[in-house]
């Protein structure tokens, strides 16, 4: 079966997530409320893999990391390091352009309480696999959090147990592609000081050196 880059708008492969989306569609008909497609050029050398759309962020606006705190830190860092051009306006029509990087999520649909199950991450992995296969010049992946780390390794046909997750750790994979780990740039992680903006910048900078 050919690899698919994007799930259908009404993908129901994860029944729990499809039901959650249906409830959100009824409550907020003006929100995106569907799988969130990746953002950025396919000929980028860097792919940033987040966890899943935030309820009031990407699930509302339809663009990864757009509209909630995680996006404030991510896009500010990308602009600072020359990986994005323009101003981040917390909305998909802000004109922001990604430069040499693309952003997606390990799980394309918003999960309740930001927590996809392992089965949901495995099911949606087929689209991450398609995403990776569609990037001919891919050299590095920046993976945000352990679930994205594991999903990305699986999508590359590798065993997650062979590569321990650690913030700012650089794994050189057998294909030569580099996988760089970072704690997720969520509000929770920054409020608890698990991840500071400086720590995040260090990981993004390492990933950008490709
Ligand atoms: S998370 Fe992925 S596989 Fe699951 S329903 Fe959404 S798009 Fe489909």
């Amino acid at each position: 079966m050919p690899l698919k880059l994007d799930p259908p708008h009404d993908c129901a492969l994860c029944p729990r997530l499809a039901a959650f989306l249906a409830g959100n569609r009824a409550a907020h008909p003006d929100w995106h409320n569907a799988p969130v497609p990746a953002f950025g050029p396919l000929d980028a050398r860097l792919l940033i893999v987040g966890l899943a759309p935030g309820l009031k962020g990407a699930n509302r606006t339809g663009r990864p990391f757009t509209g909630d705190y995680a996006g404030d830190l991510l896009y500010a860092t990308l602009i600072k390091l020359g990986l994005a051009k323009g101003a981040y306006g917390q909305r998909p029509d802000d004109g922001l352009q990604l430069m040499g990087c693309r952003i997606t999520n390990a799980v394309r649909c918003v999960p309740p309480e930001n927590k996809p199950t392992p089965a949901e991450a495995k099911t949606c992995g087929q689209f991450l696999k398609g995403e990776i296969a569609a990037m001919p010049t891919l050299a590095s992946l920046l993976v945000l959090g352990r679930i994205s780390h594991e999903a990305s390794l699986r999508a590359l046909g590798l065993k997650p147990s062979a590569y321990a997750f650690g913030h700012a750790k650089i794994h050189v994979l057998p294909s030569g592609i580099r996988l760089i780990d970072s704690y997720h740039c969520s509000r929770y992680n920054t409020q608890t000081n698990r991840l500071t903006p400086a720590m995040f910048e260090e990981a993004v900078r390492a990933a950008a050196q490709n």
Side-chain angles (χ1 to χ4, degrees):
M1 211 166 48
L3 287 170
K4 280 194 187 159
L5 184 60
D6 283 315
H9 197 73
D10 59 350
C11 184
L13 291 174
C14 306
R16 185 183 77 117
L17 301 187
F20 189 54
L21 275 180
N24 280 303
R25 245 176 245 131
H28 306 284
D30 52 328
W31 290 8
H32 175 74
N33 287 321
V36 174
F39 173 41
L42 271 173
D43 62 356
R45 290 178 63 78
L46 171 63
L47 178 65
I48 300 173
V49 185
L51 172 60
L55 180 64
K56 295 179 183 168
N59 176 63
R60 177 174 59 85
T61 64
R63 191 177 76 179
F65 287 91
T66 298
D68 58 12
Y69 175 81
D72 292 351
L73 179 55
L74 175 63
Y75 288 118
T77 308
L78 295 182
I79 291 169
K80 181 173 179 187
L81 298 183
L83 292 163
K85 195 168 78 174
Y88 169 58
Q90 300 189 321
R91 43 189 302 150
D93 59 356
D94 56 12
L96 188 75
Q97 270 182 282
L98 296 186
M99 311 294 292
C101 73
R102 184 166 163 94
I103 306 174
T104 192
N105 281 307
V107 175
R108 302 285 189 104
C109 296
V110 57
E113 294 171 13
N114 294 324
K115 286 186 188 141
T117 64
E120 288 160 355
K122 273 194 187 149
T123 303
C124 208
Q126 61 190 284
F127 301 110
L128 182 56
K129 204 171 173 177
E131 187 75 55
I132 289 170
M135 295 184 68
T137 53
L138 182 66
S140 303
L141 288 98
L142 174 67
V143 296
L144 306 183
R146 192 180 300 272
I147 293 176
S148 305
H149 165 95
E150 292 179 356
S152 298
L153 286 165
R154 256 188 239 107
L156 288 159
L158 299 167
K159 273 193 179 170
S161 57
Y163 302 89
F165 177 86
H167 180 75
K169 213 166 169 178
I170 300 173
H171 307 273
V172 180
L173 306 178
S175 61
I177 287 180
R178 299 179 324 137
L179 184 141
I180 295 91
D181 294 332
S182 173
Y183 292 133
H184 194 283
C185 50
S186 65
R187 186 190 288 275
Y188 178 82
N189 279 346
T190 49
Q191 274 182 345
T192 56
N193 268 337
R194 179 167 223 221
L195 180 72
T196 63
M199 283 168 70
F200 187 59
E201 186 178 320
E202 180 197 358
V204 179
R205 198 181 285 281
Q209 284 166 3
N210 57 18

mmCIF file of all heavy atoms in Angstrom, residues 1 10 21 29 37 50 64 89 96-97 100 110 124 130 141 145 153 156-157 163 167 178 201:
data_model
loop_
_atom_site.group_PDB
_atom_site.id
_atom_site.type_symbol
_atom_site.label_atom_id
_atom_site.label_comp_id
_atom_site.label_asym_id
_atom_site.label_seq_id
_atom_site.Cartn_x
_atom_site.Cartn_y
_atom_site.Cartn_z
ATOM 1 N N MET A 1 0.841 -1.193 0.000
ATOM 2 C CA MET A 1 0.000 0.000 0.000
ATOM 3 C C MET A 1 0.882 1.251 0.000
ATOM 4 O O MET A 1 1.826 1.322 0.790
ATOM 5 C CB MET A 1 -0.884 -0.017 1.258
ATOM 6 C CG MET A 1 -2.194 0.653 1.026
ATOM 7 S SD MET A 1 -3.437 0.343 2.300
ATOM 8 C CE MET A 1 -2.589 0.623 3.820
ATOM 9 N N ASP A 10 -11.837 13.215 7.785
ATOM 10 C CA ASP A 10 -12.724 12.524 8.728
ATOM 11 C C ASP A 10 -12.127 11.199 9.200
ATOM 12 O O ASP A 10 -12.847 10.244 9.485
ATOM 13 C CB ASP A 10 -14.092 12.288 8.074
ATOM 14 C CG ASP A 10 -13.960 11.445 6.805
ATOM 15 O OD1 ASP A 10 -12.808 11.215 6.344
ATOM 16 O OD2 ASP A 10 -15.002 11.014 6.268
ATOM 17 N N LEU A 21 -13.207 14.439 18.779
ATOM 18 C CA LEU A 21 -13.327 15.492 17.756
ATOM 19 C C LEU A 21 -14.795 15.800 17.456
ATOM 20 O O LEU A 21 -15.169 16.963 17.300
ATOM 21 C CB LEU A 21 -12.629 15.057 16.462
ATOM 22 C CG LEU A 21 -11.132 15.313 16.365
ATOM 23 C CD1 LEU A 21 -10.601 14.827 15.023
ATOM 24 C CD2 LEU A 21 -10.815 16.794 16.536
ATOM 25 N N PRO A 29 -18.199 24.760 16.520
ATOM 26 C CA PRO A 29 -18.260 24.540 15.064
ATOM 27 C C PRO A 29 -17.308 25.421 14.260
ATOM 28 O O PRO A 29 -17.020 25.125 13.101
ATOM 29 C CB PRO A 29 -19.727 24.840 14.716
ATOM 30 C CG PRO A 29 -20.352 25.424 15.926
ATOM 31 C CD PRO A 29 -19.475 25.166 17.105
ATOM 32 N N PRO A 37 -2.790 19.084 9.443
ATOM 33 C CA PRO A 37 -1.702 18.801 8.489
ATOM 34 C C PRO A 37 -0.405 19.478 8.908
ATOM 35 O O PRO A 37 -0.408 20.423 9.697
ATOM 36 C CB PRO A 37 -2.219 19.397 7.175
ATOM 37 C CG PRO A 37 -3.225 20.427 7.580
ATOM 38 C CD PRO A 37 -3.791 20.022 8.909
ATOM 39 N N GLY A 50 6.122 17.210 16.939
ATOM 40 C CA GLY A 50 5.488 17.445 18.234
ATOM 41 C C GLY A 50 4.683 16.227 18.650
ATOM 42 O O GLY A 50 4.716 15.176 17.998
ATOM 43 N N PRO A 64 -0.038 23.460 13.011
ATOM 44 C CA PRO A 64 0.678 22.934 14.176
ATOM 45 C C PRO A 64 1.210 24.051 15.080
ATOM 46 O O PRO A 64 1.733 25.058 14.595
ATOM 47 C CB PRO A 64 1.831 22.133 13.566
ATOM 48 C CG PRO A 64 1.355 21.745 12.203
ATOM 49 C CD PRO A 64 0.460 22.875 11.756
ATOM 50 N N GLY A 89 1.827 35.321 14.622
ATOM 51 C CA GLY A 89 0.651 36.040 15.114
ATOM 52 C C GLY A 89 -0.388 35.140 15.742
ATOM 53 O O GLY A 89 -1.548 35.547 15.865
ATOM 54 N N LEU A 96 3.613 33.849 8.508
ATOM 55 C CA LEU A 96 4.884 33.273 8.940
ATOM 56 C C LEU A 96 5.324 32.196 7.942
ATOM 57 O O LEU A 96 4.519 31.379 7.503
ATOM 58 C CB LEU A 96 4.711 32.638 10.329
ATOM 59 C CG LEU A 96 5.988 32.167 10.992
ATOM 60 C CD1 LEU A 96 6.786 33.358 11.524
ATOM 61 C CD2 LEU A 96 5.685 31.208 12.139
ATOM 62 N N GLN A 97 6.627 32.227 7.607
ATOM 63 C CA GLN A 97 7.159 31.232 6.658
ATOM 64 C C GLN A 97 8.241 30.424 7.345
ATOM 65 O O GLN A 97 9.125 30.998 8.003
ATOM 66 C CB GLN A 97 7.813 31.951 5.491
ATOM 67 C CG GLN A 97 6.888 32.256 4.343
ATOM 68 C CD GLN A 97 7.695 32.931 3.248
ATOM 69 O OE1 GLN A 97 7.994 34.123 3.354
ATOM 70 N NE2 GLN A 97 8.066 32.184 2.231
ATOM 71 N N GLY A 100 13.489 26.046 5.666
ATOM 72 C CA GLY A 100 14.291 24.819 5.800
ATOM 73 C C GLY A 100 13.820 23.884 6.883
ATOM 74 O O GLY A 100 14.519 22.942 7.251
ATOM 75 N N VAL A 110 -6.370 15.872 18.097
ATOM 76 C CA VAL A 110 -6.248 16.277 19.498
ATOM 77 C C VAL A 110 -6.720 15.141 20.416
ATOM 78 O O VAL A 110 -7.796 14.591 20.228
ATOM 79 C CB VAL A 110 -7.070 17.571 19.768
ATOM 80 C CG1 VAL A 110 -8.532 17.408 19.417
ATOM 81 C CG2 VAL A 110 -6.910 18.011 21.214
ATOM 82 N N CYS A 124 -1.375 6.283 14.172
ATOM 83 C CA CYS A 124 -1.108 7.501 13.391
ATOM 84 C C CYS A 124 0.314 7.498 12.833
ATOM 85 O O CYS A 124 0.635 8.306 11.949
ATOM 86 C CB CYS A 124 -1.355 8.744 14.247
ATOM 87 S SG CYS A 124 -1.837 10.170 13.243
ATOM 88 N N GLY A 130 4.679 8.388 6.220
ATOM 89 C CA GLY A 130 4.433 9.005 4.913
ATOM 90 C C GLY A 130 5.078 10.381 4.806
ATOM 91 O O GLY A 130 5.640 10.746 3.772
ATOM 92 N N LEU A 141 15.744 15.184 12.483
ATOM 93 C CA LEU A 141 14.427 15.303 13.119
ATOM 94 C C LEU A 141 14.636 15.847 14.517
ATOM 95 O O LEU A 141 15.524 15.375 15.241
ATOM 96 C CB LEU A 141 13.739 13.937 13.244
ATOM 97 C CG LEU A 141 13.205 13.308 11.968
ATOM 98 C CD1 LEU A 141 14.195 12.289 11.440
ATOM 99 C CD2 LEU A 141 11.896 12.597 12.256
ATOM 100 N N GLY A 145 9.630 15.404 23.111
ATOM 101 C CA GLY A 145 9.063 14.482 24.095
ATOM 102 C C GLY A 145 9.259 13.029 23.712
ATOM 103 O O GLY A 145 9.547 12.689 22.562
ATOM 104 N N LEU A 153 11.133 7.074 15.686
ATOM 105 C CA LEU A 153 12.021 5.923 15.456
ATOM 106 C C LEU A 153 11.252 4.786 14.789
ATOM 107 O O LEU A 153 11.731 4.160 13.837
ATOM 108 C CB LEU A 153 12.638 5.459 16.785
ATOM 109 C CG LEU A 153 13.729 6.392 17.322
ATOM 110 C CD1 LEU A 153 14.027 6.100 18.789
ATOM 111 C CD2 LEU A 153 15.014 6.247 16.496
ATOM 112 N N LEU A 156 10.726 5.354 11.244
ATOM 113 C CA LEU A 156 11.961 5.156 10.472
ATOM 114 C C LEU A 156 12.361 3.683 10.431
ATOM 115 O O LEU A 156 13.437 3.334 9.936
ATOM 116 C CB LEU A 156 13.090 5.987 11.094
ATOM 117 C CG LEU A 156 12.972 7.510 10.877
ATOM 118 C CD1 LEU A 156 13.776 8.267 11.919
ATOM 119 C CD2 LEU A 156 13.435 7.881 9.475
ATOM 120 N N GLY A 157 11.505 2.831 10.989
ATOM 121 C CA GLY A 157 11.776 1.386 10.964
ATOM 122 C C GLY A 157 12.796 0.953 11.993
ATOM 123 O O GLY A 157 13.423 -0.110 11.845
ATOM 124 N N TYR A 163 17.405 3.384 21.428
ATOM 125 C CA TYR A 163 17.812 4.791 21.491
ATOM 126 C C TYR A 163 17.146 5.458 22.697
ATOM 127 O O TYR A 163 15.951 5.772 22.655
ATOM 128 C CB TYR A 163 17.398 5.532 20.205
ATOM 129 C CG TYR A 163 17.981 4.915 18.957
ATOM 130 C CD1 TYR A 163 17.297 3.892 18.276
ATOM 131 C CD2 TYR A 163 19.221 5.314 18.463
ATOM 132 C CE1 TYR A 163 17.828 3.302 17.142
ATOM 133 C CE2 TYR A 163 19.755 4.734 17.328
ATOM 134 C CZ TYR A 163 19.056 3.726 16.674
ATOM 135 O OH TYR A 163 19.586 3.134 15.559
ATOM 136 N N HIS A 167 17.139 14.877 26.905
ATOM 137 C CA HIS A 167 17.067 16.225 26.335
ATOM 138 C C HIS A 167 18.394 16.627 25.683
ATOM 139 O O HIS A 167 19.463 16.467 26.285
ATOM 140 C CB HIS A 167 16.686 17.258 27.398
ATOM 141 C CG HIS A 167 16.622 18.635 26.828
ATOM 142 N ND1 HIS A 167 15.574 19.059 26.036
ATOM 143 C CD2 HIS A 167 17.510 19.655 26.847
ATOM 144 C CE1 HIS A 167 15.814 20.285 25.618
ATOM 145 N NE2 HIS A 167 16.985 20.681 26.095
ATOM 146 N N ARG A 178 19.941 12.403 11.524
ATOM 147 C CA ARG A 178 20.148 12.652 12.951
ATOM 148 C C ARG A 178 18.795 12.869 13.620
ATOM 149 O O ARG A 178 17.906 13.508 13.057
ATOM 150 C CB ARG A 178 21.018 13.891 13.167
ATOM 151 C CG ARG A 178 22.419 13.770 12.565
ATOM 152 C CD ARG A 178 23.239 15.035 12.771
ATOM 153 N NE ARG A 178 22.420 16.225 12.681
ATOM 154 C CZ ARG A 178 22.513 17.272 13.510
ATOM 155 N NH1 ARG A 178 23.402 17.301 14.458
ATOM 156 N NH2 ARG A 178 21.734 18.321 13.366
ATOM 157 N N GLU A 201 16.310 26.248 23.110
ATOM 158 C CA GLU A 201 17.098 26.826 22.018
ATOM 159 C C GLU A 201 18.317 25.956 21.706
ATOM 160 O O GLU A 201 18.675 25.763 20.539
ATOM 161 C CB GLU A 201 17.537 28.248 22.396
ATOM 162 C CG GLU A 201 18.236 28.953 21.269
ATOM 163 C CD GLU A 201 18.635 30.382 21.620
ATOM 164 O OE1 GLU A 201 17.844 31.090 22.282
ATOM 165 O OE2 GLU A 201 19.751 30.785 21.225
#
